[in-house]
Each structure stands twice: as structure tokens, then as C-alpha cells.
């Protein structure tokens, strides 16, 4: 067994110190001094925790570093590569669609390559009982727990609420919320979505869209927004079976659907994004900012073809980056990088998701995002029409992404990363860096408990 108690002893000392400091500051154990206090001070004293760490999100950096390093040291190259895959459930079912249960064969496939996460879609959801059972089975199948994710933005892009048997009322779409000008409405939406996702067992919501919509796209709908109340927002779209079928058939991104953006103004989109992120993560569900570096003005859809962002780096800094910076400041756990190229910056047509300049130099270093970076779906035409899946996977990892979203090609991407490690196209240190971030997030969110046995051989 590996020596793993150093960081635990330090954590105990930290907790003890917090209790001591909390008692000192709040005067626990002291007699009433007899001095009068104001109502405000009394209220503050009643709500204090004395500095005691009560949330997994507040685990100190020493503990995170120690635990993640110890777990990483026990993992094989194959296990590390698998942690970088956020796969669709169909990947476990030999490509068969509409998977709603975890069969024996699917469980064996899950255990054979142990992906880091599974994304579910409406086609995988029947009702609350089935969904909870499926998520529980997925999480219990592996010793290193999966992150279970879903697209739940509100409006038509709500994979859970769009299933009628779930009995959940979909939250308003982002455009309706943004039109109110009240960030409290974005907070309420994130809070409501986070609450029911957490109760069902989800860990990650691939939301919010932090893109700024093009003004020409939203102009035709301004009249529909004039009567929107700031006190009560109602969903303006009817989510029909036809709409749901279209959503299920597609992947999670179509940037030109301007209803998914909070608006055309950088400030509005920024504070709405920040509020949504804060709310949903307070519920214990990780938010994912998408689609970096900002694809709201794209004319082409990366699901169908290559697309290019025409803005210069100066223009992106002045506008498109702002909502992402606000979301990062609010503590977003993940950022999704889109597949549109940024030729004015990179000088070529390489998708942002495969560009070291955009992923590492801009998002990681300039915007100082320290947590998990994930790609948009690796089955988009902007990728598959231009690259083999092996080449794209290697390029994405070397660009600096930590996870690759793979609705239907997870096994292929996993095999490509493993092969890249073996033939030297991918440095193991790059994978270690990515997996460390993934492990830290799982520890912070309580998926890996402090008393884990994962660091035992």
C-alpha cells in the first residue's frame, strides 16, 4: 500500500486550526460580555460556521494535490487515456441507439476501458425511476466513478425536461431570460435546473451557452420579447415530439440557434452567464461554458461543415471573451472549446479545439482557466470531414484539452489516445496533466471521497 497519510494528517491539522480560529473569532466558550450588539451583527453571528470546512468544494489545495497525485500514480496508461473520454451511452452498446438500460454487455464494455464520463440524451431517458437506476448502475460499475452529464440549458435544449414522463417543467430559454435584463432570472433558472439534475444523480450540465448572439439573428424576434415579465418568465416554445426528435438526432451544439444565447450585448451575456454558473454549481452540479472562443456570430454550423470565426484577437478580447471570463470568475468547473477555426489569429483553418494557440495559450494562460477543458462533440463534420479520428484525437490532446466529448465514437478516440501514447505522438506528461485536473474535479465534487481506497494497489 502506498503511503497516503501525509495529506490526510495535514487536512486534519487544517480542520482543527479552522475550528480553533472560528472559536476565537466567534467567542465560543466565553461568557456574555454584556455589551449591546446590533441586529445585523447578531444575524451575522447566527449564520457563521466558525471557518469549518463543510463543503467538498472547499477542500484545500494540499489535499487535492496529494490525493490526485496518489491516485494518478496507481493508474495505467490505458486508464489515464480513458479518463479523458466523455462518452455517449451508445458507445457502450456497440453503436445501437436509444439505450435506456445498462445491459451486461454494456457493463463489460464500460469496465474494459473505463471512460471518465458518460453523457445522456433524451433518447436514454424514460422516466425518473429508470433514469435514477441507470445513473446509479453507471456510477457503481467502476471503482473510479464516472461523471454523468447532460445538456440542460432551458428552452428547447433541455434533454431531461423535454421527456414528458419526467414531469419537469422546462426553464425558459436563454434568450427569454436575457431579454428581461435581470440576472436574478438567470440565477433562478440555474438554481432550478441544478436542483433537479442533482436529485436525479447528474454531476455535469453542459450549460450555459456563453456565446453572444449576432444582432441580425435576434432582431426578428424582438417583438416576441416585449411582453416578457421580469417577475415570471414563461417558455415561449412548445417542445413538440417533432422538436424533441430533431434534438435527439442532432448533437448538442448548433450555435446559430440564437434562442440559446442570453443576448447580443456582451455585458448582458456576461452577468447572465455568471449568475447561471453560480446558481447551478451551488447545487453541486458542474457548469460548462460553451463554445469557446465564442461562436455566436458564425454563419456556418460546425455540425455540418467547417466554420471560421472572422474576428481578430483584439475583437474577441473586447467582446466574445467577456462572458467566458465572467463564467470563469464565477468558478465554472469546465469550458467547452468549439470546432470553429480562428484564422485571423492562428493563420490557418485548424479548429480551435485542435489548436494549441487557442486552447493553451489563450484559454489556459491568457484567460487563466485552471480547471477542465473539454472539446465539443468529436463527431461534428467540422472535424470528421477534415481529419481522421486518430489524427483529431492526438491533435486535441496535444493542444491542451483534458477531455474529449464523444457521443458515438468514444472507443475510437480512446484507442487513438492509447496508440498516441505508445508511439510517442502524445507525451505521457500531457495526459498526466489532464487526468490530474479531472481527478481534482471529481474529488471536489465528492465523487471520490476523502477516505477513498483508490490509492491502494
Amino acid at each position: 500500500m502506498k503511503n497516503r497519510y501525509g495529506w490526510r494528517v495535514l487536512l486534519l491539522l487544517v480542520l482543527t486550526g479552522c475550528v480553533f480560529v472560528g472559536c476565537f473569532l466567534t467567542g465560543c466558550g466565553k461568557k456574555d460580555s454584556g455589551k449591546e450588539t446590533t441586529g445585523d451583527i447578531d444575524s451575522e453571528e447566527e449564520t457563521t460556521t466558525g471557518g469549518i470546512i463543510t463543503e467538498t468544494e472547499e477542500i484545500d489545495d494540499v489535499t487535492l494535490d496529494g490525493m490526485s497525485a496518489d491516485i494518478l500514480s496507481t493508474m495505467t496508461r490505458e486508464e489515464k487515456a480513458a479518463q479523458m473520454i466523455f462518452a455517449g451511452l451508445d458507445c457502450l452498446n456497440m453503436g445501437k441507439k436509444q439505450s435506456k438500460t445498462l445491459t451486461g454487455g454494456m457493463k463489460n464494455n464500460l469496465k474494459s476501458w473505463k471512460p471518465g464520463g458518460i453523457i445522456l440524451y433524451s433518447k436514454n431517458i424514460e422516466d425518473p425511476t429508470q433514469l435514477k437506476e441507470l445513473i446509479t448502475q453507471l456510477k457503481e460499475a467502476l471503482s473510479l466513478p464516472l461523471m454523468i452529464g447532460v445538456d440542460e440549458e432551458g428552452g428547447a435544449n433541455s434533454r431531461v425536461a423535454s421527456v414528458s414522463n419526467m414531469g419537469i417543467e422546462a426553464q425558459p430559454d436563454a434568450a427569454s431570460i436575457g431579454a428581461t435584463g435581470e440576472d436574478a432570472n438567470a440565477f433562478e433558472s440555474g438554481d432550478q435546473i441544478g436542483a433537479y439534475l442533482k436529485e436525479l444523480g447528474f454531476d455535469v450540465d453542459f450549460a450555459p451557452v456563453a456565446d453572444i448572439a449576432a444582432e441580425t439573428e435576434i432582431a426578428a424576434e424582438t417583438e416576441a420579447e416585449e411582453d416578457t415579465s421580469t417577475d415570471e418568465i414563461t417558455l415561449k416554445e412548445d417542445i413538440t415530439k417533432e422538436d424533441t426528435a430533431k434534438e435527439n438526432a442532432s448533437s448538442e451544439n448548433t450555435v446559430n440557434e440564437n434562442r440559446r444565447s442570453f443576448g447580443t450585448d456582451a455585458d448582458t451575456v456576461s452577468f447572465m452567464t455568471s449568475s447561471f454558473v453560480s446558481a447551478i454549481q451551488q447545487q453541486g452540479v458542474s457548469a460548462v461554458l460553451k463554445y469557446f472562443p465564442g461562436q455566436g456570430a458564425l454563419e456556418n454550423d460546425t455540425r455540418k461543415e467547417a466554420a471560421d470565426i472572422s474576428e481578430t484577437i483584439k475583437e474577441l478580447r473586447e467582446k466574445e471573451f467577456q462572458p467566458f471570463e465572467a463564467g470563469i470568475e464565477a468558478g465554472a468547473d469546465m469550458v467547452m472549446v468549439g470546432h470553429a477555426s480562428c484564422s485571423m489569429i492562428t493563420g490557418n483553418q485548424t479548429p480551435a479545439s485542435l489548436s494549441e494557440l487557442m486552447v493553451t495559450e489563450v484559454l489556459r494562460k491568457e484567460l487563466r482557466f485552471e480547471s477542465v477543458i473539454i472539446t465539443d462533440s468529436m463527431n461534428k463534420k467540422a472535424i470528421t470531414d477534415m481529419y481522421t479520428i486518430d489524427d483529431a484525437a492526438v491533435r486535441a490532446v496535444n493542444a491542451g484539452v483534458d477531455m474529449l466529448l464523444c457521443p458515438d465514437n468514444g472507443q475510437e478516440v480512446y484507442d487513438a489516445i492509447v496508440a498516441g501514447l505508445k508511439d510517442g505522438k502524445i507525451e505521457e506528461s500531457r495526459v498526466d496533466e489532464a487526468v490530474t485536473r479531472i481527478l481534482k474535479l471529481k474529488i471536489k465534487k465528492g465523487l471520490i471521497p476523502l477516505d477513498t481506497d483508490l490509492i491502494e494497489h
Side-chain angles (χ1 to χ4, degrees):
M1 183 186 300
K2 188 177 181 67
N3 184 354
R4 55 174 177 151
Y5 296 102
W7 51 263
R8 287 187 174 181
V9 171
L10 184 53
L11 175 61
L12 180 60
L13 291 173
V14 170
L15 288 170
T16 303
C18 287
V19 172
F20 176 79
V21 172
C23 286
F24 176 79
L25 293 175
T26 58
C28 59
K30 292 184 179 181
K31 293 184 180 180
D32 190 343
S33 64
K35 294 183 179 179
E36 292 184 0
T37 57
T38 66
D40 289 340
I41 294 176
D42 287 338
S43 176
E44 184 177 348
E45 288 181 347
E46 288 172 3
T47 59
T48 185
T49 61
I52 298 174
I53 298 174
T54 57
E55 301 286 344
T56 54
E57 288 84 350
E58 296 178 14
I59 295 173
D60 65 280
D61 290 340
V62 173
T63 301
L64 283 174
D65 290 342
M67 288 185 67
S68 58
D70 283 350
I71 295 170
L72 186 71
S73 69
T74 71
M75 298 174 69
T76 65
R77 283 192 303 190
E78 290 75 15
E79 289 172 331
K80 293 174 185 178
Q83 280 300 295
M84 299 181 72
I85 308 299
F86 216 117
L89 193 61
D90 291 344
C91 293
L92 307 175
N93 202 19
M94 307 301 291
K96 296 178 182 179
K97 307 298 183 182
Q98 311 299 325
S99 307
K100 289 185 171 69
T101 60
L102 188 64
T103 65
M106 292 169 69
K107 187 176 291 187
N108 289 336
N109 289 335
L110 183 65
K111 291 181 177 180
S112 70
W113 55 286
K114 306 172 185 175
I118 293 289
I119 184 171
L120 301 180
Y121 295 92
S122 298
K123 63 186 177 184
N124 307 125
I125 299 172
E126 182 84 28
D127 55 45
T129 300
Q130 169 268 336
L131 180 56
K132 287 182 180 180
E133 182 177 355
L134 174 61
I135 290 176
T136 298
Q137 289 177 337
L138 285 167
K139 288 187 175 182
E140 291 180 349
L142 301 177
S143 57
L144 182 51
L146 292 152
M147 290 189 286
I148 307 297
V150 70
D151 290 301
E152 199 75 5
E153 300 171 11
N157 220 46
S158 301
R159 310 300 190 188
V160 177
S162 65
V163 178
S164 58
N165 288 340
M166 291 302 297
I168 297 172
E169 182 179 356
Q171 290 295 303
D173 61 33
S176 296
I177 294 172
T180 70
E182 299 290 337
D183 62 330
N185 290 327
F187 188 94
E188 175 67 15
S189 178
D191 186 62
Q192 293 293 321
I193 290 173
Y196 67 73
L197 290 185
K198 186 66 175 179
E199 197 274 332
L200 291 167
F202 287 101
D203 309 297
V204 176
D205 183 11
F206 289 95
V209 172
D211 295 331
I212 300 170
E215 292 186 18
T216 53
E217 291 179 357
I218 206 165
E221 302 183 26
T222 54
E223 291 184 6
E225 303 300 338
E226 289 179 356
D227 296 329
T228 304
S229 169
T230 58
D231 297 320
E232 181 178 1
I233 311 172
T234 57
L235 184 64
K236 297 190 184 303
E237 295 88 1
D238 291 324
I239 305 176
T240 63
K241 291 182 179 180
E242 182 180 357
D243 293 332
T244 301
K246 288 179 180 178
E247 286 294 324
N248 290 341
S250 70
S251 194
E252 72 291 333
N253 172 28
T254 172
V255 183
N256 296 329
E257 292 177 355
N258 55 337
R259 304 300 307 176
R260 299 171 64 197
S261 170
F262 287 114
T264 62
D265 174 71
D267 288 339
T268 297
V269 178
S270 295
F271 64 71
M272 294 289 179
T273 296
S274 176
S275 294
F276 187 97
V277 167
S278 297
I280 198 167
Q281 294 204 168
Q282 283 183 15
Q283 291 287 358
V285 176
S286 291
V288 183
L289 303 172
K290 59 187 187 184
Y291 298 86
F292 186 82
Q295 300 181 168
L298 280 184
E299 295 182 359
N300 298 343
D301 187 343
T302 57
R303 291 180 307 169
K304 303 174 182 178
E305 58 191 332
D308 185 57
I309 295 171
S310 60
E311 285 89 343
T312 66
I313 188 67
K314 181 177 184 293
E315 290 170 329
L316 289 176
R317 285 168 178 159
E318 291 175 347
K319 186 175 181 181
E320 266 69 26
F321 285 176
Q322 291 185 32
F324 290 95
E325 292 175 305
I328 291 170
E329 181 66 24
D333 285 326
M334 301 175 74
V335 172
M336 178 179 287
V337 182
H339 295 319
S341 58
C342 303
S343 61
M344 294 296 290
I345 302 170
T346 64
N348 54 49
Q349 297 296 318
T350 301
S353 56
L354 312 186
S355 168
E356 183 178 4
L357 177 59
M358 298 307 299
V359 175
T360 298
E361 297 302 321
V362 178
L363 178 55
R364 185 69 75 194
K365 295 181 180 179
E366 180 177 337
L367 271 62
R368 300 180 182 179
F369 181 64
E370 298 179 353
S371 194
V372 175
I373 297 175
I374 188 168
T375 67
D376 194 0
S377 299
M378 295 297 289
N379 60 1
K380 299 288 179 68
K381 291 287 188 178
I383 294 295
T384 59
D385 283 354
M386 304 296 293
Y387 304 89
T388 65
I389 195 62
D390 290 7
D391 188 24
V394 170
R395 285 172 178 263
V397 173
N398 287 334
V401 302
D402 304 309
M403 301 191 83
L404 296 87
L405 183 60
C406 310
D408 56 11
N409 54 2
Q411 182 76 54
E412 297 173 77
V413 175
Y414 162 74
D415 290 341
I417 297 174
V418 171
L421 282 167
K422 290 180 178 178
D423 63 21
K425 291 181 180 178
I426 299 174
E427 295 290 336
E428 190 160 0
S429 59
R430 168 76 269 276
V431 172
D432 287 350
E433 176 187 74
V435 176
T436 296
R437 292 193 185 98
I438 297 164
L439 292 174
K440 286 183 177 182
L441 181 55
K442 290 185 175 184
I443 295 168
K444 285 174 61 180
K445 293 301 179 182
L447 291 173
I448 300 175
L450 291 176
D451 60 351
T452 181
D453 289 329
L454 287 171
I455 55 179
E456 296 180 357
H457 290 287

